[in-house]
Amino acid sequence: ENIKTVGYIHTVLTPNPCDYIYRKGSPDFLLTHGESNSEILKSILDWPSEKLILSQSFRYRENKNRTLSGTIFTPYTIHNNKIFIREFKNLIKNLPSGHYPFFDIKMHPPMNWLQEIKHLKLKKELKKTMSTYSTRFSKTPKKENISIFFGVTAAIFEALETGVEVIHICSDPVFDSHSPDIWPNLDVEQISNNVFRYNLKKRGKYIIFGEKKNILNEVIKKI
């Protein structure tokens, strides 16, 4: 009866975080590494404030050399390649000349051979589109500090917290995109039905990058 359970959200909450609703069986205490994450848990997901503990991140460490800018990130799972390819093409062809940097493409490690095929196809089509509309890119772009993310990924907030502007392309915007109605401190501009632009109103609200060692020991001692 004296045993206490402690949970830790090692990432950032999902776009529609209903799986985190406070209910029977929830941990006695829940660690988060961002004030805005805690606010969502309290105001939307019914977590009592006394059960939430704010901490530096155990996963995301302070790194001045970290950069997620100028990169296209593919998702963990691809459900509909056609939507991704179509929306990326529409985004790029409507840009003015020299607007974006020449993006690198970082593929998420696929979960199986079928996903690997889908990832390789997506990478091929992205390169083809960038080649077709090559004038939209430049070594000295108007939008230099920007990256593009496909699907659901917490790396969106890792990029935002380092000052990178994010373009988010969703196959299902209802479940994949971040709404300002749920996410405080997030500026959202909807470019099309499946494409969104994100910026933070203030950095440090979703991820407090870890600096100290043995953070967990310090937090547990306080419980």
Side-chain angles (χ1 to χ4, degrees):
E1 295 182 0
N2 293 325
I3 296 175
K4 299 294 184 183
T5 57
V6 180
Y8 172 55
I9 300 177
H10 76 284
T11 182
V12 180
L13 296 172
T14 51
N16 290 278
C18 56
D19 47 335
Y20 289 95
I21 291 175
Y22 183 74
R23 58 195 183 277
K24 183 178 180 181
S26 294
D28 295 303
F29 298 99
L30 185 63
L31 307 180
T32 70
H33 51 224
E35 292 179 14
S36 290
N37 292 317
S38 295
E39 183 59 36
I40 294 170
L41 289 163
K42 286 187 294 185
S43 63
I44 296 177
L45 303 173
D46 293 332
W47 275 83
S49 58
E50 65 271 15
K51 291 185 175 292
L52 298 173
I53 300 174
L54 187 63
S55 169
Q56 291 184 13
S57 176
F58 308 151
R59 172 186 176 184
Y60 300 105
R61 310 301 296 165
E62 184 66 47
N63 181 359
K64 294 181 180 179
N65 296 320
R66 176 193 282 109
T67 177
L68 280 75
S69 181
T71 307
I72 293 173
F73 295 87
T74 66
Y76 176 62
T77 303
I78 296 175
H79 298 291
N80 195 321
N81 245 332
K82 290 183 179 180
I83 292 177
F84 284 156
I85 295 166
R86 180 195 72 208
E87 294 298 325
F88 180 75
K89 182 177 180 179
N90 288 338
L91 173 70
I92 298 303
K93 74 178 184 180
N94 290 316
L95 293 174
S97 178
H99 194 71
Y100 278 173
F102 291 102
F103 289 107
D104 292 326
I105 299 176
K106 186 173 182 179
M107 294 176 61
H108 195 291
M111 59 190 297
N112 54 44
W113 67 268
L114 183 59
Q115 282 295 318
E116 184 174 7
I117 292 173
K118 290 182 178 181
H119 276 74
L120 290 172
K121 180 180 179 181
L122 177 59
K123 184 176 183 179
K124 179 181 178 180
E125 292 296 329
L126 295 178
K127 285 186 173 182
K128 181 180 178 181
T129 298
M130 287 190 286
S131 177
T132 301
Y133 299 99
S134 59
T135 59
R136 274 64 168 179
F137 305 91
S138 171
K139 292 182 179 179
T140 55
K142 298 174 184 176
K143 281 283 187 180
E144 184 175 3
N145 198 23
I146 191 166
S147 285
I148 297 176
F149 291 81
F150 289 88
V152 177
T153 171
I156 286 173
F157 284 91
E158 186 179 358
L160 288 168
E161 287 288 9
T162 57
V164 177
E165 183 177 306
V166 166
I167 298 295
H168 187 200
I169 300 179
C170 310
S171 58
D172 186 339
V174 173
F175 291 99
D176 296 353
S177 68
H178 294 273
S179 167
D181 295 330
I182 297 177
W183 292 82
N185 199 49
L186 186 65
D187 276 327
V188 180
E189 177 188 352
Q190 188 165 3
I191 299 173
S192 71
N193 187 56
N194 296 79
V195 182
F196 300 81
R197 180 183 288 111
Y198 303 141
N199 279 291
L200 290 183
K201 296 177 182 177
K202 186 176 182 180
R203 288 164 63 178
K205 294 295 185 179
Y206 289 107
I207 300 176
I208 304 173
F209 291 104
E211 297 177 347
K212 298 180 181 178
K213 296 181 179 179
N214 302 318
I215 306 172
L216 180 59
N217 291 337
E218 293 184 12
V219 173
I220 295 299
K221 288 178 182 179
K222 299 178 182 179
I223 296 177

